[in-house]
Amino acid sequence: AAGVIQSPRHLIKEKRETATLKCYPIPRHDTVYWYQQGPGQDPQFLISFYEKMQSDKGSIPDRFSAQQFSDYHSELNMSSLELGDSALYFCASSLGRGTRQPQHFGDGTRLSIL
Amino acid sequence: AQTVTQSQPEMSVQEAETVTLSCTYDTSESDYYLFWYKQPPSRQMILVIRQEAYKQQNATENRFSVNFQKAAKSFSLKISDSQLGDAAMYFCAYRTSYSGGGADGLTFGKGTHLIIQP
């Protein structure tokens, strides 16, 4: 079965640079979620989109923005990167929001800030 | 805001034995969903089992089952016949039902690191 695809798998950036992470949801899934997992931490919800509109917002810094496109893929844009942004970034998708359908996670993008 | 608490940072069990991981949560909502996710060393997040709050029957998936106590706000995971491949970090997670309003992102506990002794 098709899964959530995230690219790139690994990304190395320097402080103050920008980064763009991409997420391709499972086919027919209309809801995308972004999470940030720091070293040894639990995943923290950043933002979600339903039918190309922002659905919910968590602890996403103002330096980050995201959007969902007409083909339902999503991009997380990160600017003025800081050392503390080094983390594993997960994208998840589901069919519908707030429903019994679970969120299926991609393998994550590991972002390292030098 | 909802909170999820996993009071066991680490648990160890002998292969083939049974282990129970604890999770409690705090919410004022009546309709919500609870999940257990497994994160092995590969760092993938794998759904293990889910429970709808309106269902009294405890969910079961093969060797994995839950003990859902809504009044006590408790949601423990039991793993029977533990296998080496069960070794991972286990996260308990909460999500509101959209009909109840509020956030639709998952709220995770801090996780329990499960070690399987051969």
Side-chain angles (χ1 to χ4, degrees), chain A residues 16-29:
Chain A
R16 294 179 288 277
E17 286 191 327
T18 62
T20 298
L21 310 186
K22 296 185 178 182
C23 170
Y24 297 86
I26 293 172
R28 297 197 307 115
H29 281 194

Side-chain angles (χ1 to χ4, degrees), chain A residues 33 35 37-38 41-45 48 55-56 88 90 97-103 105-107 110, chain B residues 33 35 37 39 43-45 47 50 52 54-55 91 95-99 103-106 108-110:
Chain A
Y33 312 80
Y35 293 86
Q37 186 179 27
Q41 302 295 315
D42 55 297
Q44 294 292 314
F45 170 66
S48 62
S55 176
D56 189 30
L88 185 60
F90 285 108
R97 57 176 173 173
T99 69
R100 67 182 302 274
Q101 299 301 322
Q103 296 178 21
F105 284 73
D107 288 344
R110 185 174 298 280
Chain B
Y33 302 98
F35 306 86
Y37 279 87
Q39 188 174 42
R43 304 297 300 277
Q44 292 176 298
M45 289 291 287
L47 176 67
R50 60 182 167 178
E52 290 103 351
Y54 63 85
K55 287 188 176 179
F91 290 99
R95 193 189 76 204
T96 188
S97 164
Y98 189 71
S99 62
D104 57 5
L106 293 168
F108 286 89
K110 295 298 183 187

Side-chain angles (χ1 to χ4, degrees), chain B residues 66-95:
Chain B
V66 299
N67 184 3
F68 173 49
Q69 302 289 328
K70 189 173 184 178
K73 297 180 182 176
S74 172
F75 182 60
S76 61
L77 174 70
K78 186 171 82 171
I79 306 174
S80 304
D81 185 24
S82 298
Q83 300 176 359
L84 294 177
D86 295 333
M89 183 71 82
Y90 286 81
F91 290 99
C92 178
Y94 173 104
R95 193 189 76 204

Side-chain angles (χ1 to χ4, degrees), chain A residues 51-90:
Chain A
E51 283 291 344
K52 292 151 279 183
M53 299 285 289
Q54 181 179 313
S55 176
D56 189 30
K57 198 171 181 180
S59 53
I60 185 168
D62 291 340
R63 299 178 288 108
F64 294 6
S65 65
Q67 57 181 321
Q68 185 179 32
F69 295 86
S70 58
D71 63 351
Y72 294 99
H73 93 273
S74 178
E75 296 184 2
L76 177 65
N77 298 293
M78 311 160 72
S79 64
S80 302
L81 289 168
E82 303 173 355
L83 293 176
D85 296 328
S86 293
L88 185 60
Y89 290 83
F90 285 108

